[in-house]
Amino acid sequence: MRALPALAIVASCAWSCAHSGRGASGQPCDVLRVNGAAALMTFAADPGGGVALAGESGARLRAGTLAIDAAGGFILRANGDAGVAWIRPTGPARPLALTIAPDGHTVVVGQAQRHCIAARLDGQGREVWASTLAGEGDSACRAVAFDDRTGDIWAAGEFTGALGPARAVGLADAFVVRISGATGEMRLVRAFGGKGAEHATALALTPAGDVIVAGTFGRDVDASLSEVNFGQGPVRAADGTDGFLLALQPDGGTRWVSVVGEHGDDEVVGVEARDSAVYAAANLHRARDGARCGGQPAVLRNHDWVRIEDDECVAVRALTFDDAGRLWVLENAGRTLRARAFASADGAPLGTRTWAAERASVRGIGIARVPGGFAVAAMTDGELTACGKPVGNAGERTPFVVWVRDLTP
């Protein structure tokens, strides 16, 4: 295997509610339920413990005391005690990734009318700016990060046809854009691809300003045709789709590249940068990338260590650090949502927290640090209990967020 960094996290509340830690609401555990058979796609948290989530709904959507009566995309902001601040419909625009700026603004990227779109919303959900990435073919933005050093925004995704001077050389190429935080103007920084399909699905920024992009390459072609030049010479997938980690300088030059690839399809689904290290979460040896079962979840620190779990029906989704520097990874395990903690220095396991549903499946979407702990966003298609409260209805897809504020072992 060629190196990567990652983690996965769990969902459950029984463990945390038994402890004495307190957060913004004065409770060690809070839950927010979103009603309306919505599909949750992306999730982020701010330093105060507030969260943003986005997805698509088929009809009326209700959370807390607020509701919208519009099918299509939506963005929701809640504060650290699970109170809903606002909900905004996005119509046919699909929100695929979001981040929260230091001033509390929400930045969302996604796809509308077959093109990558981006928008910045203020603290009341009002649009500050919106922009579209012009091109001859299709494009979608699937990852976003706010640059605290410059105030700009970085986004990544894939495209077909052409984006400015860049033209896709295969089924789909990956790209990275820099977006002005003040105006929303998009500038293409880097494009790369081969004869197969390349997808950029995760992005993080290092303290030094490098952009870490993660995703997959070599999809839908034979390994002999999967060659991609990430900036340091051609790289070929080992067998099927492989995952990649790419470090770019702010001008788009390649700092380094790492590949995760063995037999079967391999994907990197999450990335975090902390101090001088890069961590990633990956799913290995899948019958196909995106499959829920039939492979192994992995967490790694790039060029340092890797932890592979021998469980063929667990899939990692995302990772984050807590206030104590522990790495938490969010994992889907059938009817169980699981968060596992690792030591950042050597990957040693530090504990597990779980939520389980007896007659329903639970699917984690994201995990993010909040003061004293972490928050997890997930969906269930049945009834479960979180923080002592019922969540979900039988046969209906229900998104929810759980705040866990006491991580005392």
Side-chain angles (χ1 to χ4, degrees):
M1 180 188 302
R2 295 159 279 179
L4 255 207
L7 287 201
I9 183 156
V10 167
S12 197
C13 193
W15 68 274
S16 64
C17 291
H19 293 302
S20 60
R22 296 293 182 269
S25 67
Q27 300 297 322
C29 183
D30 274 317
V31 62
L32 169 65
R33 168 177 166 166
V34 180
N35 300 291
L40 192 60
M41 296 179 178
T42 180
F43 168 74
D46 63 37
V51 301
L53 52 153
E56 292 180 314
S57 175
R60 179 177 174 85
L61 188 76
R62 180 172 58 84
T65 61
L66 301 182
I68 56 174
D69 288 296
F74 71 89
I75 304 168
L76 182 153
R77 283 285 268 127
N79 56 36
D81 61 3
V84 179
W86 52 262
I87 309 174
R88 176 189 173 96
T90 66
R94 304 185 69 219
L96 300 177
L98 51 75
T99 188
I100 302 174
D103 61 2
H105 288 193
T106 302
V107 177
V108 61
V109 299
Q111 186 183 46
Q113 297 180 331
R114 299 169 53 188
H115 293 294
C116 162
I117 51 116
R120 183 168 185 154
L121 309 178
D122 69 12
Q124 286 72 51
R126 297 171 301 199
E127 185 178 287
V128 177
W129 51 252
S131 56
T132 300
L133 184 62
E136 295 178 7
D138 295 356
S139 63
C141 283
R142 301 186 182 277
V144 65
F146 191 88
D147 191 340
D148 293 338
R149 300 165 72 251
T150 66
D152 286 343
I153 298 137
W154 292 85
E158 74 275 351
F159 74 102
T160 63
L163 285 179
R167 181 168 292 277
V169 298
L171 300 176
D173 281 12
F175 69 87
V176 179
V177 292
R178 187 168 188 165
I179 306 171
S180 168
T183 67
E185 179 185 4
M186 293 185 179
R187 181 173 65 86
L188 181 65
V189 175
R190 184 69 181 275
F192 51 91
K195 292 183 178 180
E198 281 64 64
H199 288 201
T201 54
L203 188 150
L205 301 178
T206 70
D210 285 347
V211 182
I212 310 299
V213 186
T216 60
F217 76 102
R219 179 186 292 181
D220 298 330
V221 294
D222 186 85
S224 63
L225 302 175
S226 64
E227 188 175 279
V228 175
N229 189 339
F230 292 95
Q232 294 185 338
V235 176
R236 181 178 295 176
D239 176 30
T241 302
D242 277 3
F244 71 85
L245 279 179
L246 175 64
L248 299 177
Q249 302 173 55
D251 64 0
T254 297
R255 181 83 68 185
W256 51 258
V257 62
S258 293
V259 174
V260 173
E262 295 184 353
H263 63 274
D265 282 344
D266 310 301
E267 57 181 357
V268 180
V269 296
V271 61
E272 286 284 332
R274 182 178 175 88
D275 299 327
S276 59
V278 174
Y279 302 81
N283 294 305
L284 309 177
H285 317 313
R286 301 290 186 194
R288 67 184 189 283
D289 56 318
R292 294 192 178 188
C293 293
Q296 295 175 302
V299 179
L300 41 142
R301 174 166 160 161
N302 197 42
H303 299 306
D304 197 346
W305 55 259
V306 59
R307 291 279 179 176
I308 298 177
E309 184 178 356
D310 290 323
D311 191 328
E312 292 194 352
C313 205
V314 171
V316 297
R317 288 290 301 172
L319 63 158
T320 194
F321 284 92
D322 65 18
D323 292 344
R326 292 168 293 205
L327 181 62
W328 288 88
V329 176
L330 180 63
E331 298 177 337
N332 292 325
R335 294 181 177 178
T336 300
L337 187 62
R338 180 167 67 197
R340 291 195 298 154
F342 299 85
S344 61
D346 58 7
L350 299 177
T352 301
R353 304 292 185 261
T354 62
W355 287 270
E358 293 184 3
R359 295 180 298 276
S361 62
V362 187
R363 180 171 178 260
I365 301 299
I367 183 171
R369 179 170 64 180
V370 298
F374 56 75
V376 168
M379 294 188 297
T380 180
D381 61 6
E383 299 178 4
L384 61 82
T385 300
C387 303
K389 302 175 183 178
V391 175
N393 298 308
E396 180 177 288
R397 189 170 50 196
T398 302
F400 64 95
V401 178
V402 177
W403 285 259
V404 179
R405 300 191 182 89
D406 184 4
L407 299 183
T408 303

